[in-house]
Every structure is written in structure tokens, then in C-alpha cells.
């Protein structure tokens, strides 16, 4: 009876097969679901679906007057493809096949199951596109296709699901293209997960108008657009994750209105985007908020005091440490001001990250009320004063990072008593300090090194120098990773896992984490969590059984079994462990070899301290079930993936016992330190060998030429030296990835050597940061599949070969830090897939994932107009070369440009108006050239522009009398449209006319410099009133007149003020004394009169180091009556 098979639910045929799939309460209902273990003669589950004797009758599969209404075969080890015959089960209401190993495409025949309400195919290996026939299921409520390998777009026909659909889960696939606006037609949709795909374009406003949407996750995609699309939308939202995209612009104040008609917004993730401007205080209206992440953006301004009302907040991240996006752009918050005392009201807060900003002032003692807080990261800011004793009240605190500030005094005894370690009395810098503490605080850092130290601390887990700003806990003792806000882990319990009924938008629990994070996500994986593992005995008496085993293992061991006879070796201990296993007599020869080889690795490489070692050396577990070990269906080890797992010491040669089956050996980011590793040449079945980021020495063994099946070879970030054996890569005919960067390789690259590497199939080639010389081989053009080519940081000379133009799929190309002397070939215009091109000395550094960076080369000639063909390029950096000629107008066709840096060249002519077509531009630097003409008004169209530099100082190596740029005319009023601008410099030109009042619209402006021009008129009232974020204002040596506006006293962040050599009149306004950060004030060379206001003189006791005025002569124009007020006087 098929109704008694495991996973099958039947319904009485008299019910028409309709019903709810098992949830009805009709006593006559003959539905029958058999759970695991109840039926001993159930058919094997290794077939996809075995229907036995079920036969076809009138379009339904029936037996014993019943119809199949549900198939619940989740977590059943199913494999193979899903047969189209499932579409014959016309009365099926639920198909739950999640958490299996199904492959192939989703059959379109599933669209025939018109009574289907729940379709759960998640957590499999399904491929292909989503069949549109699924969107014709009129009763479908739940569609879960997540965690597969589906590709293509989400078709607009998804809107046909109509009002019945409540939940759609498509996360963790390979879906791409833009999101269809037709999703907005699904009026009753409650949950929508599209995260961890490859979607591009904007987030359709129709999705944001869904009236009942409670959970929306589109994180980890490539979505773009302005965030103001969120205004007045998502009235019932509870979880909103937009993180890890490319959204930009400022956050709207209407953000505070999200979720007002429902239970309230609990989770808001906006991190890892390009948001800028101030963080709106209206976020404080989200009183139900528990998780708030704003890190990895470009926010400025202060932390709003209103945040103190978010009393349900558990997780708050505002950190500003610089990271780089996929295109190499620096992304870092830059918050200033003090921490509000009101944050002490966040009674539920457990994690607070604020490191890497410019927060200043004392640490609020009120934070001591945060009794649930586990982690506080305040390092690398500008905090001053003493550490509050109230911090000792935070009994749950496990991590407190305070280094890299300007704090002083002694670490309070109350804080030290939170520590959890014994303190050696010889370390004490405070004699009365206790020497042992037993609290929860495990990691405590401060600037407690130096003579004398800034902080006296006898209990810190790590001390830093006074200049702590150049250090970070991640250098040696990485801060514990705060609870992640990435992909949710699916529960495994039946009914709540993959296709279960659990919450599909979980908010992560914030408990003390235990694993140090990697410095940055790698391109292949994430870091792991440590788990304990057993440590077996170290020796055993020599017995006849041991001798037999030693002879058996030694016959295949690289050293002939010599190490097996030494009780101190890992080999001997591994053999003892194997022999003492109660299961030993059941092991096959293959299992003995495999378990011995793995045990030798474990015992020889500090296995008990690995981050992940679940199951290792557990005699009741198959070695195929040990963590990070993969086997085929015959139990042969084919994959060993111990990346970032704290392996230490040399890799044992016993790894070669796996040579006949092992295909993937992944050991990157460990402490492997072999100097001799030629034995790896015996691993001839390998398709992937990854030893990146270890401590390998010696030279690259020529024996690796035997790895003829290898496809990916990672030897980068080690200490490998010697000459590069170029010829061995010709033997690796399937090689697609070769990474050798950051080693000590040397020697000349022979001509015509690279074209045959990997049989011409290379996709990624990185030789960066070595000592390779010679010229770039011209046959590099034969590697036509290359997408990533990095040759930077070597000693290459000669020309950039024109054959580079044959690499039409190239996306990444690094040449910096070489010794090339060349022009830019016109063939560069053929590289239409390039994302980033730099021919610069790297004014801003970083290891970009996509881009060209060229440093310490000399590029001459003109800019080829063919650059206009590079529509995908995001950065063009040509700083500090000898580029001549004019800026080609074709540059306006580079529509994806975010940065254009042509600083410090010899370019002539005017700035082309076509620059105004670069509507994504954020940075425009044309300073230190020979440009002339006016500033084009079209620059006012660059709405996202943040940095504009047109300075024209003299070029030190230019012809005599060269004065750099000589721009003329007025400052265009249209620049007032650039609302995101933070820096505008145009010093040392010949600009004239008045300062336009529209400059007052640039409310985020931090740095404005117009010194050494011919500007006239007065300082506009709008500038004085509205530019309250200014840090630097330079109007030196112009023809400005009028009085200095009193409203300039509102520029409370100003540090440097240069008004000298103008024609200002009247007296200095005392309101300037309100600007506490002032560091330098130059007002000499004007027609000012009167006495230097006392309020300004008092700033000399604060930060003011230079105050220069016309206070000299028998009758000074300005009288500095207070002693030590003016630092220098002019006549």
C-alpha cells in the first residue's frame, strides 16, 4: 500500500483529494502519514520517488480508493533528477523535497499541480532557470526554491501568482538580471527573500509598496539606486535587509516611518553600501528596533542623542574602519563629536561597535548601565579623559577595546576585576593592583605601552604604543566577530527546517562569539568556529600487531615507515590510535590508510586547537564524516578542506597516501611552514591545490609539473623564493587559476612564455609582489580567456605590449610598482569589460578585486581617445605621470566612471564639457596640470560628486615659469546643485567674480579652498550660515571685501581658517570664539580694526596653535591685549 510508504500522505478519494495536506480534523478522513521507522518494508529512499504499484486512473494516481495529497521526503538523502511524472499527481497539495541532493532542472510539469499550496524544493542542487509554469499554480501559498544553483532572471510572469502567494524564497542561488516590478502585484505577500544572488539594477518601487510585507531581504546582491525610494512605504515591515549592495545617497528622514502599522521594525541592515551624509535622528522613531547596522558606508556627522530611546536595541554597529568595495573604493564612516550620554539607556544592548571613526570627548560614564553588553569596540577614535570607573558595572562584558585614542590615567580597578585571567605581578604598572581576576572580560586593550604609557594598566590583555591609531586589535589578537548578520542558517528539525514552517526572516541572537574573524571575506569562503576534539595517547608498547601495522603503512609511506618507530612522532601516535580503536578489525585497507593519513595530519599540526575538528579521531565516526573531509560514494577521500583552521607546523608527507583519490586539497590561511614540499608532486589527481596565506618557504618544486589535472593552483602569500620554474605550467593543460603573488620569486620572465601556460585556458593569473624582471611577454595576448591579470609589484621594464588589447574579456589588470616606460597603447580601448584602470603612483592604496593599478611606472604621450570605449570602467587614475595633450572629449562616454584622477601631469587645454555626462562620478581631480579656460557649468550635473579638485600649484619638474592650472572666469553657480560635495579646491588659479551664494547649498562640505585667485565681493551670508560641517576654509590672497560675518561662529567643526591677504574691514567677530576645534586662524593683510576678542584668545588654551593678525607696529590695526594671544603679528 503506497499510502504506507514513508513520506506519502493520502486522502480519501471521496474528498476529491482536496483537503489541506494533513491539517484537517475530519474523523472519517483516511489520510495517513507514516513517519520514519514505522514501516519496515518501505521502499529504498535512494531513488528519487518510488511509486511502486500506484496506477493511473482518470488523471489521478490512486490506490485503495485514496489519492496522494502530500509527498514529504525532506532530508531523505534523495539524489538524481526530479522526474516530470510528478506532474501526474494532480491532487498533490504539498511537495516537500528540501534538504536532499536533487540535481537537474525543475520540471515544467509541476505547473500541472493546480491544487498545490506548498512547493518546497530548497536546499538541493537544482540548476537551470525557474520554469514560468510554476507561476500558473492558482492555490500556491509557499514557494521555496532557495539554496540551489538556479540561474537566469526572475520572469515578470511571477505576478501571475496573484493574491494566494504568501511567501517566496529564492535566496542563495545564482539568479541575475533586474528584479521584476510585477512582484508588486502579489498583494498578500508576507515574506520575500532574494538575498545572496547576483541581481542588478534598482529595487522596484512596486515591491516597496506591498501592503502586508513583513520581511524583505535583498542583501548580498548588486542593487543600486537612491534610498529615497523608501519614503512612505513598507507599513508592516519587521525585517529589512538591504546590506551588501551598491545603494547610495543620503538616508531619508521618512525612514522613521517604516513598519508603523504592524508589530514594528526589528531588524534594519543597511551596512556595506555607499550611503553618505548624516545619519537621520528619525531612526529613533523605530522604537521596536533590535538590530541596527550602518557600518561600511560613508556617513558623517554626529551620533544623534535620540538613539537613546531605542531601548530594545541589542546590536548596534556604526564602525568606521576603512574597507574597500569590489572596485577598490574606500568605504568608511567618519563620525565625529561625542558619544551621547543617552546611549546609557539602551538596557538590552549586547554589542556596540564604533571603532575607526573620529569620535571625541570623554567616554560617557552612563555606559556603565549597559549590564547586558558583551562587546564594546571603541578603538581608533579620538576619545579623551579617563576611563570611567562605571565601566566596571558591565558584568557581562567580554571584550573592551580602547586602544588608539587619547585616553589617560589608570585602568580602573573596577574594570580589572571584570577580567578572567591570572595576571603576573611583574607586569603590574600599579603596585596596589590585584593580580588575579575571575570575571567574564577576556579581551581588554588600551594604549598601555610606552614610557610612560598613556594608560597604566596591570590587567590589559594587550597593550599598544601611544600612537595607537596605527594599530588595531586585528593585527595580532583579532576582536571576536560580533554576531553575524549574513545568511541565516536553516534549522534542521523536521517541520522547521528548509521547507518547514519556521521564521524565514530570523533575527540573529547576540551572544558572546568565540571565533576570531578573518580580516576580510575571501573570494571563496567565510571563517569558522572552533570546536573541541580529542587528544589520543602519545605512545604504546611495541607489539606484534603494531609491527604488522607499521610494515603495512610503512610500505606506502614516503619515508618507508621510519617515523613510525619513533614514539615522539605524529606518525607513531597516529598508528597507536588506529591500532587501539575498537573498530580496528572492521577497517578495510583503504580505511586504514585514510584514517592513518588524517590522524597524522591532526596530531602533527596541533589538531586539538583547530577551529573546526568535529568528529576527528572519533573511532565511532567514519572518516568521511569528520568535519571538512569529503568522500565519494565508495568512501574514498576526494576533498580535504581545512582552510582558516589554525593548522600549525609542516604538512606531513603522509598526505601522499591519499594521492590516488584526493582531488581538492584546500589548506589556505593556516600556519603551514614546509621548506621542502616536493612530495606534493605525487598528488597527481589534484584539480585544486590551495596553500595560500601560509608560511611556506624554499622554492617551487619542479615536481609539481606532474599535476597535469590541476585546474586551480594557489601558492600566494607565502615566503617562497628562488627562480620561478616557468616551464612547469606548460604541463598543466587545464590550469585556469594561477596565483603566486606576495612571495619572494625572482628572475627574468622569458619572452613568449605565458601564452601556453595552462594550455591557454588561464582565467586568473596573479604574479604580483615578487621580484620578477624582464618585459611583459607579448604572447600574453594568447591567453584570451583571462579576466584577472596582476603583474604589479615586480621589476618589469619596457613597454606595455599592444597585444594586451587581445584580452577582450579582461576585468582586472594590475601593473603598478614596476619600472615600465611606455605610452598608453590605443589597443587599451579594446578592453571593454574592464572595471577599473589606474596608471598612477597609488595615492590611495588597496588590494582591489577589480581594477588596474599602476605605480612607479612612467607613462608618456597623450590620452588615447579610445578610452571612451571603456563603458564599464569605474576608475581612471593617471596620477603623477607625464601625460600630455588635452583631455579627450570621448572621456564623457565612460558612463560608469566613479573616479577620474588626472592629477600631476602636463595636460593642456580646457576641461571638456562632456565631463558633465559622467553622472556617476564621485571624485574628479584635475589638479596640478596646465589646464586653462573656465570651469564648465556642466559639472553641475554630477549630482553624486563628492570631491572636486582643480588646484594649480607650480609643477616642480615643469618648464621654468610654469604655474600649473590657470583656470579663469567665475565659479559656476550650478556647483550649488552638488548636494553630496565634501571637498572643493581650486587654489592658485585665476578665478574671478564673486563667491556664488549657491555654495551655501553644499551642507556636507568639509574642505573648501579658493586661495590665490582673484575673487571679489563679500563672503555670502548663505555660506556663513549653512556650511556648519566645514573643517577647512581657505580664501587666502583674493580681493574679498566687507566684514567677516558673525554667523561664521556656527561653523563649530572648523579647524583651519585662512582669510589673510584680502580687503576685509570691521572687527573680528567674537562669535569665532565658539569654534572650539580651531587650530589655525590667519586674518593678517586685511583692513581689520579693533581688539582681538577675548573669546578668540581663550581658544589658545584649547586647540588654537596659530593666530596671526596685523598686530605689529606703533599703532597696530588689531590689538592683541591678552598675553600669549596672537602667535605672530604683521604690520
Amino acid at each position: 500500500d503506497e499510502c504506507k510508504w514513508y513520506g506519502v500522505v493520502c486522502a480519501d478519494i471521496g474528498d476529491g483529494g482536496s483537503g489541506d495536506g494533513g491539517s484537517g480534523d475530519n474523523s472519517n478522513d483516511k489520510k495517513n502519514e507514516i513517519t520514519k521507522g514505522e514501516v519496515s518494508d518501505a521502499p529504498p529512499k535512494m531513488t528519487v520517488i518510488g511509486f511502486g504499484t500506484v496506477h493511473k486512473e482518470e488523471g489521478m494516481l490512486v490506490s485503495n480508493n485514496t489519492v496522494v495529497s502530500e509527498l514529504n521526503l525532506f532530508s531523505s538523502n534523495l539524489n538524481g533528477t526530479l522526474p516530470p511524472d510528478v506532474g501526474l499527481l494532480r491532487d498533490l497539495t504539498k511537495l516537500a523535497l528540501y534538504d536532499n541532493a536533487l540535481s537537474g532542472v525543475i520540471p515544467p510539469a509541476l505547473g500541472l499541480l493546480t491544487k498545490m499550496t506548498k512547493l518546497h524544493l530548497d536546499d538541493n542542487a537544482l540548476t537551470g532557470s525557474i520554469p514560468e509554469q510554476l507561476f500558473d499554480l492558482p492555490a500556491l501559498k509557499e514557494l521555496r526554491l532557495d539554496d540551489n544553483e538556479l540561474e537566469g532572471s526572475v520572469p515578470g510572469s511571477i505576478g501571475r501568482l496573484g493574491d494566494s502567494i504568501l511567501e517566496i524564497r529564492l535566496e542563495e542561488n545564482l539568479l541575475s538580471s533586474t528584479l521584476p516590478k510585477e512582484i508588486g502585484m502579489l498583494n498578500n505577500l508576507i515574506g520575500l527573500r532574494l538575498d545572496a544572488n547576483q541581481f542588478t539594477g534598482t529595487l522596484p518601487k512596486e515591491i516597496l509598496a506591498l501592503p502586508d510585507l513583513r520581511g524583505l531581504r535583498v542583501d548580498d546582491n548588486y542593487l543600486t539606486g537612491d534610498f529615497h525610494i523608501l519614503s512612505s512605504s513598507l507599513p508592516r515591515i519587521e525585517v529589512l535587509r538591504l546590506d551588501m549592495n551598491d545603494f547610495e545617497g543620503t538616508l531619508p528622514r521618512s525612514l522613521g516611518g517604516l513598519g508603523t502599522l504592524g508589530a514594528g521594525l526589528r531588524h534594519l541592515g543597511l551596512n556595506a553600501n555607499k550611503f553618505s551624509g548624516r545619519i537621520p535622528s528619525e531612526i529613533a522613531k523605530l522604537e521596536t528596533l533590535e538590530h541596527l547596522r550602518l557600518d561600511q558606508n560613508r556617513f558623517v556627522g554626529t551620533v544623534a542623542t535620540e538613539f537613546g530611546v531605542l531601548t530594545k536595541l541589542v546590536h548596534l554597529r556604526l564602525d568606521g574602519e576603512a574597507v574597500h568595495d569590489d572596485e577598490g573604493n574606500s568605504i568608511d564612516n567618519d563620525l565625529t563629536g561625542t558619544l551621547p550620554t543617552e546611549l546609557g539607556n539602551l538596557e538590552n544592548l549586547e554589542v556596540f561597535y564604533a571603532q575607526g571613526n573620529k569620535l571625541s570627548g570623554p567616554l560617557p560614564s552612563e555606559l556603565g548601565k549597559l549590564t547586558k553588553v558583551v562587546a564594546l569596540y571603541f578603538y581608533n577614535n579620538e576619545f579623551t579623559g579617563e576611563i570611567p570607573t562605571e565601566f566596571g558595572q558591565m558584568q557581562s562584558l567580554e571584550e573592551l577595546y580602547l586602544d588608539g585614542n587619547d585616553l589617560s590615567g589608570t585602568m580602573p580597578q573596577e574594570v580589572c576585576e571584570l577580567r578572567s585571567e591570572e595576571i603576573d605581578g611583574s607586569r603590574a604598572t600599579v603596585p596596589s593592583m590585584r593580580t588575579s581576576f575571575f570575571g567574564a572580560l577576556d579581551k581588554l586593550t588600551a594604549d598601555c605601552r610606552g614610557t610612560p604609557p598613556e594608560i597604566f594598566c596591570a590587567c590589559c590583555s594587550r597593550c599598544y604604543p601611544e600612537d595607537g591609531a596605527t594599530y588595531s586589535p586585528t593585527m595580532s589578537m583579532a576582536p571576536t566577530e560580533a554576531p553575524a548578520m549574513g545568511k541565516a542558517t536553516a534549522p534542521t528539525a523536521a517541520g522547521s527546517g528548509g521547507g518547514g514552517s519556521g521564521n524565514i526572516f530570523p533575527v540573529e541572537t547576540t551572544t558572546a562569539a568565540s571565533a576570531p574573524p578573518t580580516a576580510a571575506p575571501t573570494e571563496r569562503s567565510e571563517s569558522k568556529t572552533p570546536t573541541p576534539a580529542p587528544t589520543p595517547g602519545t605512545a604504546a608498547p611495541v607489539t606484534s600487531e603494531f609491527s604488522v601495522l607499521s610494515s603495512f603503512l610503512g610500505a606506502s609511506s614516503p619515508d618507508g615507515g621510519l617515523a613510525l618507530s619513533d614514539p615522539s612522532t605524529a606518525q607513531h601516535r597516529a598508528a597507536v590510535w588506529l591500532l587501539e580503536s575498537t573498530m580496528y578489525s572492521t577497517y578495510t585497507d583503504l580505511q586504514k590508510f585514510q584514517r592513518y593519513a588524517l590522524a597524522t595530519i591532526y596530531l602533527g599540526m596541533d589538531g586539538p586547537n583547530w577551529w573546526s575538528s568535529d568528529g576527528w579521531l572519533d573511532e565511532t565516526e567514519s572518516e568521511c564524516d569528520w568535519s571538512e573531509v569529503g568522500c565519494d560514494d565508495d568512501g574514498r577521500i576526494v576533498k580535504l578542506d581545512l582552510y582558516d583552521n589554525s593548522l600549525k607546523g609542516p604538512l606531513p608527507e603522509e598526505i601522499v597516501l591519499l594521492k590516488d583519490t584526493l582531488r581538492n586539497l584546500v589548506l589556505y590561511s593556516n600556519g603551514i611552514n614546509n621548506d621542502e614540499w616536493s612530495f606534493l608532486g605525487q598528488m597527481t589527481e589534484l584539480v585544486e591545490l590551495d596553500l595560500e596565506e601560509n608560511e611556506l618557504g624554499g622554492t617551487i618544486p619542479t615536481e609539481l609539473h606532474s599535476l597535469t589535472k590541476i585546474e586551480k593552483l594557489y601558492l600566494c602569500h607565502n615566503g617562497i623564493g628562488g627562480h620561478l620554474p616557468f616551464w612547469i605550467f606548460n604541463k598543466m593543460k587545464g590550469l585556469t587559476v594561477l596565483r603566486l603573488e606576495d612571495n619572494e620569486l625572482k628572475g627574468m620572465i622569458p619572452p613568449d612564455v605565458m601564452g601556453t601556460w595552462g594550455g591557454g585556458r588561464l582565467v586568473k593569473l596573479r604574479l604580483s609582489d615578487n621580484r620578477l624582471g624582464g618585459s611583459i611577454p607579448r604572447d600574453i595576448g594568447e591567453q584570451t580567456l583571462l579576466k584577472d591579470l596582476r603583474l604589479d609589484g615586480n621589476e618589469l621594464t619596457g613597454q606595455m605590449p599592444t597585444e594586451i588589447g587581445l584580452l577582450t574579456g579582461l576585468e582586472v589588470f594590475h601593473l603598478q610598482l614596476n619600472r615600465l616606460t611606455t605610452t598608453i597603447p590605443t589597443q587599451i580601448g579594446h578592453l571593454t569589460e574592464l572595471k577599473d584602470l589606474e596608471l598612477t603612483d597609488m595615492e590611495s592604496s588597496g588590494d582591489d578585486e577589480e581594477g588596474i593599478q599602476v605605480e612607479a611606472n612612467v607613462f608618456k604621450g597623450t590620452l588615447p581617445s579610445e578610452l571612451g570605449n571603456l563603458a564599464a570602467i569605474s576608475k581612471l587614475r593617471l596620477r603623477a605621470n607625464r601625460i600630455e595633450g588635452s583631455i579627450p572629449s570621448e572621456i564623457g562616454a565612460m558612463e560608469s566612471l566613479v573616479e577620474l584622477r588626472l592629477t600631476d601631469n602636463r595636460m593642456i587645454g580646457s576641461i571638456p564639457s562632456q565631463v558633465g555626462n559622467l553622472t556617476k562620478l564621485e571624485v574628479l581631480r584635475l589638479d596640478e596640470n596646465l589646464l586653462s579656460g573656465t570651469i564648465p557649468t556642466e559639472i553641475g550635473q554630477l549630482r553624486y560628486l563628492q570631491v572636486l579638485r582643480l588646484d594649480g600649484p607650480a609643477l616642480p619638474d615643469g618648464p621654468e615659469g610654469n604655474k600649473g592650472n590657470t583656470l579663469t572666469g567665475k565659479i559656476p553657480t550650478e556647483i550649488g546643485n552638488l548636494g553630496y560635495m565634501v571637498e572643493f579646491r581650486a587654489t592658485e588659479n585665476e578665478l574671478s567674480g564673486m563667491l556664488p551664494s549657491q555654495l551655501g547649498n553644499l551642507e556636507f562640505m568639509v574642505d573648501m579652498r579658493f586661495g590665490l585667485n582673484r575673487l571679489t565681493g563679500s563672503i555670502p551670508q548663505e555660506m556663513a550660515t549653512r556650511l556648519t560641517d566645514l573643517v577647512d576654509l581657505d580664501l587666502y590672497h583674493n580681493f574679498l571685501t566687507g566684514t567677516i560675518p558673525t554667523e561664521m561662529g556656527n561653523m563649530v567643526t572648523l579647524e583651519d581658517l585662512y582669510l589673510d591677504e584680502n580687503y576685509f574691514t570691521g572687527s573680528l567677530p567674537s562669535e569665532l570664539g565658539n569654534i572650539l576645534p580651531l587650530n589655525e586662524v590667519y586674518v593678517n593683510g586685511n583692513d581689520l580694526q579693533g581688539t582681538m576678542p577675548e573669546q578668540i584668545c581663550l581658544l589658545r588654551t584649547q586647540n588654537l596653535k596659530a593666530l596671526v593678525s596685523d598686530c605689529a607696529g606703533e599703532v597696530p590695526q588689531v590689538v592683541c591685549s591678552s598675553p600669549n594671544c596672537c602667535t605672530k603679528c604683521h604690520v
Side-chain angles (χ1 to χ4, degrees), residues 237-248:
I237 197 71
E238 297 178 21
V239 175
L240 179 60
R241 293 279 306 274
L242 305 181
D243 43 293
M244 293 187 284
N245 280 287
D246 291 315
F247 293 116
E248 55 193 357

PDB file of all heavy atoms in Angstrom, residues 237-248:
ATOM      1  N   ILE A 237       6.502  46.294   7.782  1.00  0.00           N
ATOM      2  CA  ILE A 237       7.786  45.614   7.701  1.00  0.00           C
ATOM      3  C   ILE A 237       8.344  45.364   9.103  1.00  0.00           C
ATOM      4  O   ILE A 237       8.240  46.214   9.997  1.00  0.00           O
ATOM      5  CB  ILE A 237       8.785  46.435   6.847  1.00  0.00           C
ATOM      6  CG1 ILE A 237       9.970  45.572   6.409  1.00  0.00           C
ATOM      7  CG2 ILE A 237       9.230  47.689   7.567  1.00  0.00           C
ATOM      8  CD1 ILE A 237       9.615  44.552   5.382  1.00  0.00           C
ATOM      9  N   GLU A 238       8.948  44.173   9.287  1.00  0.00           N
ATOM     10  CA  GLU A 238       9.579  43.828  10.548  1.00  0.00           C
ATOM     11  C   GLU A 238      11.073  43.548  10.381  1.00  0.00           C
ATOM     12  O   GLU A 238      11.851  43.801  11.286  1.00  0.00           O
ATOM     13  CB  GLU A 238       8.896  42.594  11.157  1.00  0.00           C
ATOM     14  CG  GLU A 238       7.438  42.830  11.507  1.00  0.00           C
ATOM     15  CD  GLU A 238       6.769  41.574  12.054  1.00  0.00           C
ATOM     16  OE1 GLU A 238       7.489  40.671  12.522  1.00  0.00           O
ATOM     17  OE2 GLU A 238       5.524  41.499  12.005  1.00  0.00           O
ATOM     18  N   VAL A 239      11.445  42.991   9.234  1.00  0.00           N
ATOM     19  CA  VAL A 239      12.852  42.722   8.932  1.00  0.00           C
ATOM     20  C   VAL A 239      13.153  43.302   7.561  1.00  0.00           C
ATOM     21  O   VAL A 239      12.514  42.944   6.574  1.00  0.00           O
ATOM     22  CB  VAL A 239      13.151  41.211   8.943  1.00  0.00           C
ATOM     23  CG1 VAL A 239      14.587  40.956   8.498  1.00  0.00           C
ATOM     24  CG2 VAL A 239      12.922  40.622  10.327  1.00  0.00           C
ATOM     25  N   LEU A 240      14.125  44.212   7.500  1.00  0.00           N
ATOM     26  CA  LEU A 240      14.512  44.842   6.235  1.00  0.00           C
ATOM     27  C   LEU A 240      16.013  44.758   6.098  1.00  0.00           C
ATOM     28  O   LEU A 240      16.759  45.381   6.860  1.00  0.00           O
ATOM     29  CB  LEU A 240      14.056  46.305   6.202  1.00  0.00           C
ATOM     30  CG  LEU A 240      14.426  47.093   4.934  1.00  0.00           C
ATOM     31  CD1 LEU A 240      13.817  46.444   3.702  1.00  0.00           C
ATOM     32  CD2 LEU A 240      13.961  48.539   5.058  1.00  0.00           C
ATOM     33  N   ARG A 241      16.484  43.954   5.151  1.00  0.00           N
ATOM     34  CA  ARG A 241      17.913  43.762   4.930  1.00  0.00           C
ATOM     35  C   ARG A 241      18.270  44.216   3.524  1.00  0.00           C
ATOM     36  O   ARG A 241      17.931  43.561   2.540  1.00  0.00           O
ATOM     37  CB  ARG A 241      18.276  42.278   5.097  1.00  0.00           C
ATOM     38  CG  ARG A 241      18.133  41.719   6.506  1.00  0.00           C
ATOM     39  CD  ARG A 241      19.335  42.065   7.372  1.00  0.00           C
ATOM     40  NE  ARG A 241      20.568  41.647   6.762  1.00  0.00           N
ATOM     41  CZ  ARG A 241      21.095  40.428   6.890  1.00  0.00           C
ATOM     42  NH1 ARG A 241      20.481  39.519   7.608  1.00  0.00           N
ATOM     43  NH2 ARG A 241      22.241  40.125   6.317  1.00  0.00           N
ATOM     44  N   LEU A 242      18.930  45.369   3.423  1.00  0.00           N
ATOM     45  CA  LEU A 242      19.395  45.896   2.143  1.00  0.00           C
ATOM     46  C   LEU A 242      20.917  45.919   2.084  1.00  0.00           C
ATOM     47  O   LEU A 242      21.485  46.517   1.170  1.00  0.00           O
ATOM     48  CB  LEU A 242      18.862  47.315   1.935  1.00  0.00           C
ATOM     49  CG  LEU A 242      17.350  47.510   2.028  1.00  0.00           C
ATOM     50  CD1 LEU A 242      16.988  48.956   1.780  1.00  0.00           C
ATOM     51  CD2 LEU A 242      16.612  46.618   1.054  1.00  0.00           C
ATOM     52  N   ASP A 243      21.576  45.291   3.043  1.00  0.00           N
ATOM     53  CA  ASP A 243      23.021  45.372   3.148  1.00  0.00           C
ATOM     54  C   ASP A 243      23.727  44.652   2.007  1.00  0.00           C
ATOM     55  O   ASP A 243      23.137  43.862   1.282  1.00  0.00           O
ATOM     56  CB  ASP A 243      23.489  44.796   4.495  1.00  0.00           C
ATOM     57  CG  ASP A 243      22.785  43.507   4.875  1.00  0.00           C
ATOM     58  OD1 ASP A 243      21.577  43.532   5.141  1.00  0.00           O
ATOM     59  OD2 ASP A 243      23.459  42.468   4.923  1.00  0.00           O
ATOM     60  N   MET A 244      25.012  44.976   1.852  1.00  0.00           N
ATOM     61  CA  MET A 244      25.888  44.356   0.859  1.00  0.00           C
ATOM     62  C   MET A 244      25.357  44.532  -0.556  1.00  0.00           C
ATOM     63  O   MET A 244      25.198  43.585  -1.313  1.00  0.00           O
ATOM     64  CB  MET A 244      26.119  42.873   1.190  1.00  0.00           C
ATOM     65  CG  MET A 244      26.919  42.658   2.458  1.00  0.00           C
ATOM     66  SD  MET A 244      27.360  40.925   2.763  1.00  0.00           S
ATOM     67  CE  MET A 244      25.792  40.291   3.323  1.00  0.00           C
ATOM     68  N   ASN A 245      25.033  45.778  -0.904  1.00  0.00           N
ATOM     69  CA  ASN A 245      24.655  46.159  -2.254  1.00  0.00           C
ATOM     70  C   ASN A 245      25.427  47.417  -2.626  1.00  0.00           C
ATOM     71  O   ASN A 245      26.466  47.715  -2.034  1.00  0.00           O
ATOM     72  CB  ASN A 245      23.136  46.379  -2.333  1.00  0.00           C
ATOM     73  CG  ASN A 245      22.371  45.077  -2.457  1.00  0.00           C
ATOM     74  OD1 ASN A 245      22.383  44.444  -3.493  1.00  0.00           O
ATOM     75  ND2 ASN A 245      21.707  44.663  -1.371  1.00  0.00           N
ATOM     76  N   ASP A 246      24.921  48.158  -3.593  1.00  0.00           N
ATOM     77  CA  ASP A 246      25.573  49.402  -4.011  1.00  0.00           C
ATOM     78  C   ASP A 246      24.601  50.569  -3.928  1.00  0.00           C
ATOM     79  O   ASP A 246      24.662  51.500  -4.741  1.00  0.00           O
ATOM     80  CB  ASP A 246      26.109  49.266  -5.452  1.00  0.00           C
ATOM     81  CG  ASP A 246      27.274  48.302  -5.543  1.00  0.00           C
ATOM     82  OD1 ASP A 246      28.166  48.381  -4.678  1.00  0.00           O
ATOM     83  OD2 ASP A 246      27.298  47.471  -6.460  1.00  0.00           O
ATOM     84  N   PHE A 247      23.691  50.540  -2.958  1.00  0.00           N
ATOM     85  CA  PHE A 247      22.808  51.680  -2.756  1.00  0.00           C
ATOM     86  C   PHE A 247      23.635  52.895  -2.335  1.00  0.00           C
ATOM     87  O   PHE A 247      24.684  52.769  -1.695  1.00  0.00           O
ATOM     88  CB  PHE A 247      21.764  51.363  -1.671  1.00  0.00           C
ATOM     89  CG  PHE A 247      20.777  50.308  -2.073  1.00  0.00           C
ATOM     90  CD1 PHE A 247      20.712  49.103  -1.396  1.00  0.00           C
ATOM     91  CD2 PHE A 247      19.905  50.517  -3.126  1.00  0.00           C
ATOM     92  CE1 PHE A 247      19.808  48.120  -1.757  1.00  0.00           C
ATOM     93  CE2 PHE A 247      18.996  49.548  -3.501  1.00  0.00           C
ATOM     94  CZ  PHE A 247      18.947  48.346  -2.817  1.00  0.00           C
ATOM     95  N   GLU A 248      23.144  54.083  -2.658  1.00  0.00           N
ATOM     96  CA  GLU A 248      23.907  55.298  -2.363  1.00  0.00           C
ATOM     97  C   GLU A 248      22.965  56.433  -2.007  1.00  0.00           C
ATOM     98  O   GLU A 248      21.749  56.260  -1.913  1.00  0.00           O
ATOM     99  CB  GLU A 248      24.770  55.664  -3.576  1.00  0.00           C
ATOM    100  CG  GLU A 248      23.977  55.811  -4.864  1.00  0.00           C
ATOM    101  CD  GLU A 248      24.870  55.869  -6.096  1.00  0.00           C
ATOM    102  OE1 GLU A 248      26.091  55.851  -5.950  1.00  0.00           O
ATOM    103  OE2 GLU A 248      24.330  55.944  -7.201  1.00  0.00           O
TER     104      GLU A 248
END
